[in-house]
Amino acid sequence: MADIKKVAVIGAGVMGAGIAAQVANSGAPVVLLDIVPPSAENRNAIAEGAVAKMLKTEPAPFMSKAAAKLVTTGNIEDNLDLLADCDWIVEAVIERLDIKQALYAKIERHRKQGSVVSSNTSTIPLAKLTEGLPESFARDFVITHFFNPPRYMRLLELVTSEKNDPATVMTLTEFCDYRLGKGVVPCKDRPGFIANRLGVYWLQTAVVTAFHLGLDVEDADAIIGKPFGIPKTGVFGLLDLIGLDLMPHINASMAAALPADDPFHAMNQPAPLIERMIKDGFTGHKGKGGFYRVNRELNKRKEAIDLKSGEYRIQKKAQVEAVKEAGKDLRKLFEHDSVHGRYAWTVMSETLAYAAFLVGDAADGIDPIDEAMRLGYAWKSGPFELLDKIGVDWFVARLEKLGRAVPPILRMAQGKSFYRVEEGKRQALTLAGDYQTLHRPEGVLLLADIKLTSKPVLKNGSASVWDIGDGVLCFEFTSMMNSLDADIVMLLNQTIELVKKQYKALVVYNEGSNFSVGANLGLALFGANIAGWNEIQGLVALGQHAYKSLKYAPFPVVSAPAGMALGGGCEILLHSDAIQAHAETYTGLVEVGVGLIPGWGGCKEMLARWQSLGRIPRGPMPAVGQVFEYISTARVAKSAAEAQEMLILRPGDAITMNRTRLLADAKAKALKLAENYQPPEPPTFVLPGPSGKAALDMAVDSFIQIGKATKHDKVVSGVLAEILTGDGTDPTETLTEDRMSELERIGFMKLIRTPDTLARIERMLETGKPLRN
């Protein structure tokens, strides 16, 4: 088939609408249809209402409000003719076979020849869905199982049949990969596919075992969470997010579809407390609360339910000695002689053994199962990666000691491991007992793979530099949360000199959860507490020099952020020749939250962008006002698309939807820029001076009067206003880049000396939340 240029989604519920939003996020037009509501004046009310709701939802399904304009709404009675020019039609209606098949018959009459039709079902087999339908329909039909919310969950399970044209499957796979940013995992046509088959078993085991052992939900989540590289929501927090009312339906569907000897049936036990909670409306975040809730009648008190009494009580901080004593040693946690140790072993041994049981059934190999749990449930390591960490022989020996069955793939792994590296290639164990090399898709480049066969070119305690081929180096932050410190700045200076001599270009990138959370505040607070003002000022100057050197280096610099790029992390983006951002990049200059202003060139670079690129009236004040608004409110772009609207990304910068393709895209951009590269011309600034500062001060005063700004906000904003308006400059004068840097340095040092700023920094370090003083 030809490339997918236009998509239709039928079913405007939470999932269908979310899928449509993600298609729009990709830049492709999408048709969203649903039924006509009974007695409705507006026959498109459901689809239109879904789009309107998504524009107000947080976290937002749309990456920018502009994406919503790509959605055409309608209904399935009047507007099926809109399917005629769609290349892919996604069905996301109620999980009833008769309703789906009746819809397919209508779709078949209106779709164009060769268009793909897919179902978002998670419970009905593909063979059942196409039963009795024309061969032409079955040939173009697949299952595309998205995870909720579709924008943020990276997993897409793809179920195909032998009737499908491989070229059609490849076209769909590439669209979902490149355009929607999905990790596409091929699955067998088995109940629950991979992620839900294992994930639902894991959740059910954890809940049943917590009831049996009488655990507190906080302790259960602390055990089946961080120690295993599972999100801190653990199990009960995750169920609150999913919705407790959804689980009985999923469990019933799995129980009906799975064979009688499947281990799931032993865990599918009734839970009277959960049944009562659902009946009373305590269905999780979407209801009145769940296992956790905020009691608004008692001053928004955080509460948790007691699994024994069924009553809510004050939420406690988990204190699990087994976890503390075990540290990172999972065997110690499993062997800990306590109810918490028994809980960890029971839940995870059942889950890992079940994962092994699924090899050859839900998937042909171990890697799809690991990938599905990483992408669908946000596990840092898949079950077989966890087994390698635990030790396969130890795990099998303990199962045997307890008289439990050992799945065949676990037997195969005895004396070995599930994964190994041979000649720089990652390999996975197969059911035949040999190893199969794992190949990355074309266009995927990961530092994790480069590290298998090479050592860093430069390195210190906070950063590393890697040769990624073709004359390009990659600068990687490795500090805690990739916070920026003197070691990073000094290594950046060394790297600039190295690239000048031997390489073509530099990419700034890492594979951490966040690109960088900004400067290391702990070091700043320590310096202030010992009155090390010269040292702090020296670090500010060092950072300014390094970023300026990066900007004017005789080679191109491409920054490739993903996750949070805040404060100093945002400033390095602003000093790069180009940005290749992952779509889920959250960036901004947030220093005012800790009582500071951007000190490494953020103020001047944002001003330069808005003066030269902003679609605003000419003159010194409009750009100043826009930048002041962004920085003084610590505005953070909630996507790369929003960052482009804020001009953190410029028009020539690009966005990568799939994070695994980010480094390859950034490298390609750097090599392209290296052809006939010339450094940028330094900007100059014409600023409004005292009259402009007075206008900004008045705006802040009005916010104070209505309670939207605090006393110290006025102090911080006043310093920011001084910088952005030129600190008393005459509007006829021209300021240089170096003068703007000097103003930033002076302003930063003025604020770091104030007790209220130090209090903000201290609160942020202690709680992760801003102090409103």
Side-chain angles (χ1 to χ4, degrees), residues 477 484 515-519 547 559 561 564-576 579 585-591 598 600-602 605-606 609 631 635-637 643 646-649:
F477 308 137
L484 305 174
F515 179 76
S516 174
V517 295
Y547 281 18
S559 283
M564 290 190 288
L566 304 177
C570 178
E571 286 174 300
I572 202 168
L573 306 185
L574 296 172
H575 286 81
S576 302
I579 301 170
T585 294
Y586 315 108
T587 184
L589 299 169
V590 298
E591 287 85 352
W600 284 348
E605 290 301 319
M606 284 299 287
R609 275 163 159 70
I631 298 178
R635 168 85 180 271
V636 174
M646 293 172 63
L647 290 185
I648 294 173
L649 271 66

Side-chain angles (χ1 to χ4, degrees), residues 162-181:
E162 70 283 351
K163 296 177 182 178
N164 298 136
D165 180 351
T168 298
V169 173
M170 180 57 68
T171 298
L172 178 63
T173 300
E174 288 182 351
F175 182 85
C176 294
D177 175 346
Y178 286 87
R179 298 291 298 277
L180 301 187

Side-chain angles (χ1 to χ4, degrees), residues 14-37:
V14 172
M15 278 301 297
I19 294 167
Q22 185 64 0
V23 173
N25 290 335
S26 78
V30 56
V31 173
L32 179 62
L33 307 179
D34 208 301
I35 62 171
V36 177

Side-chain angles (χ1 to χ4, degrees), residues 648-697:
I648 294 173
L649 271 66
R650 290 162 292 195
D653 293 329
I655 297 172
T656 297
M657 293 295 284
N658 193 325
R659 187 166 180 177
T660 63
R661 299 187 176 279
L662 182 58
L663 180 56
D665 288 350
K667 177 184 172 183
K669 181 176 279 289
L671 286 170
K672 182 69 176 174
L673 289 172
E675 301 171 7
N676 304 313
Y677 176 75
Q678 291 294 325
E681 290 294 322
T684 56
F685 302 87
V686 176
L687 302 176
S691 63
K693 183 178 185 304
L696 297 179
D697 287 343

Side-chain angles (χ1 to χ4, degrees), residues 491-510:
L491 193 69
L492 191 57
N493 282 323
Q494 286 180 256
T495 304
I496 291 167
E497 295 305 312
L498 179 61
V499 179
K500 283 180 184 177
K501 295 174 185 175
Q502 300 180 33
Y503 295 88
K504 296 178 183 177
L506 178 67
V507 169
V508 183
Y509 162 92
N510 64 73

Side-chain angles (χ1 to χ4, degrees), residues 332-467:
K332 282 186 178 180
L333 178 56
F334 286 151
E335 292 174 333
H336 197 275
D337 187 18
S338 66
V339 67
H340 294 140
R342 289 193 293 279
Y343 182 69
W345 166 254
T346 302
V347 174
M348 293 309 295
S349 67
E350 290 283 357
T351 300
L352 298 176
Y354 192 64
F357 172 79
L358 297 182
V359 180
D361 179 31
D364 288 326
I366 63 172
D367 189 55
I369 296 174
D370 278 348
E371 183 79 342
M373 293 308 289
R374 286 193 300 264
L375 298 181
Y377 283 84
W379 289 20
K380 286 187 178 177
S381 303
F384 298 100
E385 292 170 319
L386 281 172
L387 281 164
D388 277 350
K389 291 178 183 178
I390 295 163
V392 176
D393 290 352
W394 179 90
F395 187 78
V396 170
R398 186 154 189 191
L399 290 181
E400 289 177 330
K401 184 178 178 181
L402 296 170
R404 286 170 55 182
V406 178
I409 191 72
L410 274 170
R411 289 279 183 216
M412 288 289 184
Q414 283 185 277
K416 306 176 187 176
S417 61
F418 282 105
Y419 293 97
R420 72 179 188 183
V421 176
E422 286 288 315
E423 298 180 354
K425 304 288 186 181
R426 195 162 180 253
Q427 298 181 331
L429 184 69
T430 72
L431 272 171
D434 58 0
Y435 285 88
Q436 186 175 52
T437 299
L438 300 173
H439 296 284
R440 301 288 186 195
E442 186 179 350
V444 170
L445 176 64
L446 298 178
L447 272 184
D449 292 343
I450 289 167
K451 292 175 182 180
L452 296 177
T453 57
S454 62
K455 294 182 178 179
V457 177
L458 295 171
K459 182 179 180 179
N460 63 23
S462 297
S464 299
V465 182
W466 301 89
D467 187 334

